[in-house]
């Protein structure tokens, strides 16, 4: 086998690709079959290639048959390149526009490095290793959840669980039983804890927000300890995944341990920070007493704004809205409020409106859709009919009550008034108020599918 650089147009997709239910008869049929029932996967691959280039660690394998260079491994990558070069190959107008948009904004590779095999038989061994989940150690061995999290950071449920266990072990280092249970969960029940922490309802009830290597804690350690001791004891012992698999089961679990949970009235006005990179909790609210009270001249450290305070909609992830809406949110989350307050202000208004509008259209709401106030109010009424969710208190106050008219006028002016001069503090306050609403609005779409 040898390597060669080949023009994308000279490559032919494999009509006998095992991914196809039946042999295809043309390039268009092959592409339609690869798009299949989940075109978003190929779209995301195309977007990644446009942004980062072809993965040099995985070159397509090509077999030359007559005058055709047939791709026997790497059909999805080559199909993505062909779609970027000629979006009209996509089977629907919507997909054509999506691939054209990527190509329009990026420099698309026209040549790709390939491995040339003498025959399909020669290539077969390597293809099988690539798709045979490691080939008992001969091929690529998939990472475990913990290994993926250690490599990619803390964004996955397991990553959040690992970071949380690390924090709990430091917070309660003087409680050997709690630390022992936490380590037992880390070693054998880490995905169960990840399942709990991935649930917005659970995080909201515990007053927890995750952002990269940072945990924002809304209760003092003293108030959290009874529940955390119970949680880790249960996960290390009798509670199995079948008991916390669904959202309703997780809610039931919290109801069963209600007496151990911190009271909503005890929520801290200023959440405290745990950071893997060294930012510690404010000792004034910690039960651990990190500073030596015998030093009378000790001055509190100047509070620096942490990363999660610098950007919009910290910790908000939308999984059930359209791809475009979720991408708008992810792009908005990259904005640094203090550096670009005007753009950040516009994006707060835009993201809230886009999500509220999409949810209303998909759930076929007709009432109260003529104004931004009405659209936000419709979502609030659906997700918090009794107005008793503490995480939505500010969203209600900003949107519907006496202060609401002024706040909504401010949101409107962010986009439509040239005299508007938004303050970073106002943008940050609105982002924090509407973040929980976006999460719960997204969950309404999941409920509809079920």
């Amino acid at each position: 086998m040898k390597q060669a650089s080949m023009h994308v147009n000279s490559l032919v997709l494999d009509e006998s690709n095992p991914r196809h239910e039946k042999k295809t008869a043309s390039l268009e049929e092959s592409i339609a079959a690869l798009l299949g029932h989940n075109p978003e996967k190929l779209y995301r691959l195309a977007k990644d290639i446009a942004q980062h280039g072809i993965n040099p660690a995985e070159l397509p394998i090509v077999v030359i048959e007559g005058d055709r260079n047939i791709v026997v491994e790497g059909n999805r990558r080559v199909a993505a390149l062909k779609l970027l070069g000629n979006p009209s190959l996509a089977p629907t107008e919507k997909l054509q526009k999506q691939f054209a948009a990527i190509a329009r904004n990026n420099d698309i590779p026209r040549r790709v490095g390939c491995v040339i095999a003498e025959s399909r038989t020669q290539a077969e061994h390597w293809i099988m290793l690539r798709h045979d989940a490691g080939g008992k150690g001969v091929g690529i061995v998939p990472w475990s959840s913990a290994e993926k999290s250690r490599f990619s950071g803390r964004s996955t449920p397991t990553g959040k669980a690992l970071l949380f266990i690390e924090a709990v072990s430091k917070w309660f280092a003087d409680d050997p039983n709690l630390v022992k249970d936490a380590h037992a969960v880390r070693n054998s029940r880490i995905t169960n804890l990840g399942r709990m922490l991935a649930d917005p309802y659970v995080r909201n009830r515990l007053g927890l927000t995750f952002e990269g290597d940072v945990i924002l804690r809304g209760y003092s350690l003293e108030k959290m300890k009874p529940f955390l001791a119970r949680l880790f004891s249960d996960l290390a012992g009798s509670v199995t995944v079948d008991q916390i698999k669904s959202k309703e089961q997780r809610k039931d679990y919290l109801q069963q341990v209600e007496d151990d949970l911190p009271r909503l009235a005890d929520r801290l006005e200023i959440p405290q920070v745990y950071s893997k990179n060294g930012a510690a909790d404010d000792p004034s609210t910690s039960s651990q007493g990190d500073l030596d009270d015998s030093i009378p001249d000790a001055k509190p450290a100047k509070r620096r704004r942490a990363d999660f305070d610098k950007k919009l909609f910290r910790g908000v992830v939308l999984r059930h809205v359209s791809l475009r809406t979720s991408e708008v949110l992810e792009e908005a989350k990259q904005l640094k409020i203090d550096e670009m307050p005007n753009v950040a202000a516009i994006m707060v208004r835009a993201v809230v409106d886009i999500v509220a509008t999409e949810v209303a259209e998909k759930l076929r709401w007709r009432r109260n859709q003529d104004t931004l106030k009405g659209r936000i109010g419709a979502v609030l009424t659906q997700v918090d009919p009794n107005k008793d969710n503490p995480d939505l208190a500010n969203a209600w106050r900003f949107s519907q009550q006496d202060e609401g008219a002024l706040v909504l006028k401010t949101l409107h002016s962010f986009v439509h008034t040239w005299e508007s001069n938004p303050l970073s503090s106002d943008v940050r306050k609105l982002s924090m108020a509407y973040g929980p609403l976006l999460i719960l609005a997204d969950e309404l779409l999941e409920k509809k599918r079920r």
Side-chain angles (χ1 to χ4, degrees):
M1 300 177 74
K2 60 183 180 180
Q3 294 188 18
S5 174
M6 308 187 78
H7 197 281
V8 173
N9 291 343
S10 71
L11 298 174
V12 178
L13 298 183
D14 189 3
E15 289 120 355
S16 301
N17 190 335
R19 293 186 186 275
H20 305 337
E21 294 182 2
K22 59 182 181 179
K23 187 174 181 179
T24 56
S26 66
L27 173 60
E28 289 78 7
E29 280 190 22
S30 296
I31 287 178
L34 288 170
L35 286 166
H37 300 294
N38 195 344
E40 287 189 2
K41 286 187 176 181
L42 194 54
Y43 170 83
R44 291 182 187 278
L45 174 59
K47 187 174 181 179
D48 186 80
I49 290 174
Q51 293 175 343
H52 304 288
I54 298 292
N55 183 355
E58 295 182 358
L59 299 181
I61 300 178
V62 173
V63 172
I64 300 174
E65 296 181 352
D67 60 351
R68 303 203 311 165
N69 303 319
I70 300 176
V71 180
V72 293
E73 170 59 18
N75 278 264
R76 292 180 65 252
R77 282 164 281 166
V78 174
L81 284 168
K82 287 182 176 291
L83 284 164
L84 292 172
N86 184 7
S88 64
L89 291 171
T92 67
E93 183 178 356
K94 178 181 177 181
L95 287 170
Q96 291 172 9
K97 290 181 178 179
Q98 288 179 333
F99 285 105
I102 303 174
R104 188 164 51 247
N105 298 320
N106 295 278
D107 185 16
I108 307 304
R110 302 312 304 151
R111 301 188 68 83
V112 57
C114 301
V115 176
I116 310 298
E118 295 179 1
S119 64
R120 288 178 181 263
T121 301
Q122 186 188 43
E124 186 176 286
H125 173 74
W126 307 110
I127 295 173
M128 182 60 71
L129 286 185
R130 178 67 182 81
H131 296 280
D132 191 27
K136 297 182 180 180
V138 179
I140 298 173
V141 178
W143 278 340
S144 67
S145 298
E147 290 166 341
K148 289 178 182 178
S149 295
R150 284 195 289 271
F151 179 80
S152 62
R154 308 288 175 169
S155 60
T156 65
T158 300
K160 289 183 175 69
L162 289 169
L163 179 63
F164 191 58
I165 288 174
E166 178 184 293
V168 167
S169 298
K170 292 183 179 179
W171 288 338
F172 304 102
D174 59 350
D175 187 333
N177 290 329
L178 177 50
V179 172
K180 178 182 177 182
D181 288 337
H183 290 178
V185 172
R186 181 192 61 193
N187 293 333
S188 60
R189 301 287 183 88
I190 190 68
T191 55
N192 290 359
L193 178 61
R195 193 181 298 270
M196 293 288 288
L197 296 176
D199 190 327
Y201 178 84
V202 174
R203 293 199 306 273
N204 288 341
R205 184 61 186 86
L206 299 183
L208 296 173
T209 298
F210 290 81
E211 186 69 27
D213 283 334
V214 171
I215 300 175
L216 198 67
R217 174 170 56 78
Y219 295 97
S220 70
L221 298 180
E222 179 183 3
K223 301 296 183 183
M224 292 188 71
K225 185 175 181 178
F227 171 74
L228 293 179
R230 174 69 179 272
L231 174 66
F232 281 103
S233 176
D234 286 347
L235 292 179
S238 60
V239 173
T240 65
V241 64
D242 291 332
Q243 295 171 272
I244 55 171
K245 181 175 291 186
S246 70
K247 185 174 293 293
E248 290 305 317
Q249 287 174 321
R250 293 189 287 272
K251 286 185 178 180
D252 289 343
Y253 174 78
L254 291 186
Q255 290 175 359
Q256 293 169 16
V257 299
E258 180 68 31
D259 291 343
D260 293 320
L261 285 165
R263 296 185 307 160
L264 296 178
D266 292 328
R267 200 167 184 127
L268 301 172
E269 291 187 10
I270 301 177
Q272 302 306 307
V273 178
Y274 172 83
S275 172
K276 182 177 177 63
N277 295 327
D281 287 273
D282 183 344
S284 65
T285 58
S286 170
S287 65
Q288 304 303 304
D290 294 322
L291 287 184
D292 187 345
D293 293 334
S294 66
I295 306 177
D297 295 331
K299 296 181 180 180
K302 184 178 180 180
R303 184 177 182 268
R304 294 191 305 168
R305 190 171 299 285
D307 286 343
F308 50 77
D309 269 343
K310 294 178 180 178
K311 298 181 180 180
L312 294 177
F313 299 117
R314 63 173 187 244
V316 177
V317 178
L318 304 182
R319 296 184 172 86
H320 310 292
V321 296
S322 67
L323 177 65
R324 188 254 179 178
T325 297
S326 66
E327 288 183 335
V328 169
L329 170 67
E330 291 305 313
E331 291 170 10
K333 287 166 63 177
Q334 302 307 308
L335 295 173
K336 292 187 177 180
I337 298 173
D338 293 319
E339 294 181 6
M340 294 181 284
N342 290 289
V343 178
I346 291 171
M347 290 310 300
V348 168
R349 201 265 194 206
V351 170
V352 172
D353 201 358
I354 289 171
V355 172
T357 300
E358 178 177 337
V359 171
E361 290 181 357
K362 288 186 174 179
L363 298 182
R364 299 181 180 178
W365 298 345
R366 296 291 180 265
R367 298 178 59 187
N368 300 320
Q369 294 301 306
D370 295 333
T371 64
L372 177 61
K373 176 180 179 180
R375 291 191 289 276
I376 294 175
V379 178
L380 280 167
T381 300
Q382 288 290 326
V383 301
D384 189 23
N386 299 321
K387 299 185 179 181
D388 57 2
N389 186 336
D391 295 304
L392 295 178
N394 281 334
W396 276 111
R397 183 162 61 90
F398 290 169
S399 304
Q400 307 300 310
Q401 300 171 10
D402 292 340
E403 187 177 344
L406 179 60
V407 173
L408 287 166
K409 184 177 180 180
T410 300
L411 278 174
H412 187 78
S413 69
F414 286 165
V415 177
H416 299 288
T417 303
W418 63 268
E419 294 177 320
S420 175
N421 186 23
L423 298 175
S424 296
S425 58
D426 292 337
V427 177
R428 188 172 291 107
K429 186 184 300 182
L430 290 168
S431 172
M432 294 177 67
Y434 288 115
L437 180 64
L438 298 179
I439 294 172
L440 293 172
D442 184 56
E443 291 179 2
L444 288 177
L445 299 179
E446 180 189 22
K447 292 177 182 178
K448 177 192 177 185
R449 280 197 285 268
R450 291 204 301 258

